[in-house]
Amino acid sequence: MVGRERNVVKHLSEGELDRLQAEADDIKEYKRLTFLKRLYNGATLATAAEDIGISQGTASNWVTRWNEGGLGKLTPNFGGGRPPKLDEAEQEQLIARLREGQPWKKQEIQHLLNEEFDVEYHPHYLPTFLDKLGLHYAIPRTKRPKRPENAEEILDERVRYAFDEEALEQPHNKREDDTDDEDWDRDEDIRTDGGAVVGFFDISHPQPWDNSQRMYTVDEPHIERKLVKIDTPAAGFYALNGESVLSFPPNQEKEKICGCFEKVREQNPGKRILLVLDNFSSHVCKYTRKRAHELGIDLIFLPVGSPDLNPIEPVWKSLKWESSPFIVEGGDEYRRRITELFGNLTNQLSFASSWIENHLDNYLNKLV
């Protein structure tokens, strides 16, 4: 008897079984499908029963019912008209509850379902259920305490202000509390009548030994390399419609930041430069703002605590990822290689596509 039932009829393909198993929202259904997969793959009845923790008599009964009528006979209520564990109203209540305390770990959601809704989903099915509810599964982005709720609107206003520069009575970078006894004049050799370049500026500290990639090894997963450390920062200018520039100032003092701006101007002559950057102290000080004005660079400061609104951030992330396997002899070689990599990455507009759509769409005609 047992020998005959061990030869299971293959009513479904293994792929179909895999799909049904992934969608199972009940432990019993999952166990039955797992049992069938064991038999499909050549396991004996006794072995398959032991694997999922059922008696050999139950296993024999399952095979008999399966061979006689397939899945419908084995699990009469499977997939037909079984009502969902949570109806529409309860699903809306669950979403509202999850919105209140987000983000959640999967185990916390399972506990919430048990405690407040008295239902349980199989761990393998729970992600599918949450996906159907429209939940997002991603690493939460850290929210800075000082970030304003309307950061996007603030940035929109600052971009508009920058493009309306000709209508303003004072230089764009000048503030009301700046003393009036100083002249804010452009350098005589600077021309800004050739249109506008928009770009993004930021400081980063990529390192050649900072390995974050998975790599194949035969034995222990380690790599022999000289631990070259770069003590100076990298200053990047990611241009949308001009020349991107990577420089290596010795520090982030205001004079050195202005030196980076001078290199940006050198590589982008004849045009007004709109430069988006954060609120680091050496960026916002009067010395830097005045020197930027002299160079024909108008600064657009991001709202406080909003690094995610600077498209150069994903450029840095990609640069660090792609440069992490570099094995270099020293700092000069590393700087040369990441300069080349930075140039290749900043040729892509994809890092700034959403920024262009959200903040620059109305001014594309001014970029010539």
Side-chain angles (χ1 to χ4, degrees), residues 239-276:
L240 294 184
N241 60 324
E243 291 296 322
S244 297
V245 180
L246 185 67
S247 53
F248 301 94
N251 55 56
Q252 298 186 58
E253 294 176 359
K254 58 183 183 294
E255 294 85 359
K256 304 304 184 292
I257 296 299
C258 290
C260 296
F261 290 175
E262 289 165 6
K263 293 179 180 178
V264 170
R265 165 50 70 196
E266 180 182 328
Q267 296 299 315
N268 294 273
K271 294 185 178 182
R272 180 181 177 221
I273 297 174
L274 301 180
L275 190 149
V276 180

Side-chain angles (χ1 to χ4, degrees), residues 12-247:
L12 300 174
S13 68
E14 290 189 41
E16 290 171 318
L17 275 182
D18 289 339
R19 178 182 60 79
L20 291 170
Q21 187 184 38
E23 295 177 354
D25 62 354
D26 182 272
I27 293 291
K28 290 183 179 179
E29 291 170 355
Y30 187 83
K31 289 178 69 172
R32 291 187 186 104
L33 293 165
T34 301
F35 171 72
L36 289 171
K37 283 182 63 176
R38 297 284 195 279
L39 296 181
Y40 267 41
N41 291 325
T44 64
L45 189 73
T47 300
E50 183 179 354
D51 286 345
I52 66 167
I54 61 173
S55 69
Q56 196 161 325
T58 298
S60 179
N61 182 40
W62 283 4
V63 172
T64 298
R65 288 159 55 190
W66 168 265
N67 286 344
E68 289 177 354
L71 195 60
K73 189 70 178 263
L74 178 61
T75 54
N77 294 325
F78 187 94
R82 174 183 296 174
K85 292 185 177 182
L86 296 179
D87 60 27
E88 286 190 21
E90 290 172 324
Q91 289 182 18
E92 291 179 2
Q93 292 174 18
L94 173 62
I95 291 173
R97 182 70 179 84
L98 293 175
R99 183 174 285 115
E100 290 175 4
Q102 60 185 326
W104 298 76
K105 296 178 181 177
K106 185 169 66 173
Q107 296 87 342
E108 293 173 333
I109 296 178
Q110 187 71 273
H111 180 74
L112 173 69
L113 288 167
N114 292 343
E115 293 295 315
E116 298 192 16
F117 294 88
D118 195 27
V119 298
E120 181 177 357
Y121 288 95
H122 191 279
H124 287 82
Y125 176 73
L126 183 60
T128 302
F129 170 69
L130 298 177
D131 183 64
K132 290 178 179 178
L133 288 181
L135 270 69
H136 302 283
Y137 187 63
I139 298 175
R141 187 173 64 224
T142 302
K143 184 176 180 180
R144 308 296 175 96
K146 294 183 179 180
R147 176 189 172 100
E149 292 294 333
N150 61 335
E152 295 265 3
E153 295 176 12
I154 293 173
L155 179 57
D156 266 343
E157 177 63 20
R158 291 177 181 177
V159 171
R160 184 199 64 76
Y161 177 85
F163 277 101
D164 287 348
E165 169 67 14
E166 295 178 0
L168 300 177
E169 296 181 357
Q170 67 177 25
H172 174 84
N173 297 337
K174 191 174 182 180
R175 296 182 173 177
E176 293 182 0
D177 56 353
D178 292 330
T179 57
D180 295 329
D181 56 354
E182 294 185 45
D183 292 329
W184 283 60
D185 297 324
R186 294 271 165 86
D187 286 355
E188 292 182 0
D189 58 341
I190 300 295
R191 297 183 59 84
T192 59
D193 54 0
V197 169
V198 175
F200 310 94
F201 182 82
D202 191 41
I203 302 291
S204 186
H205 293 80
Q207 297 290 341
W209 43 262
D210 189 12
N211 186 36
S212 59
Q213 289 202 27
R214 295 188 178 188
M215 304 176 73
Y216 287 104
T217 58
V218 177
D219 301 307
E220 293 294 325
H222 65 271
I223 188 168
E224 297 280 346
R225 66 172 65 184
K226 293 183 179 180
L227 294 181
V228 177
K229 184 176 181 180
I230 310 300
D231 294 321
T232 56
F237 174 70
Y238 170 31
L240 294 184
N241 60 324
E243 291 296 322
S244 297
V245 180
L246 185 67
S247 53

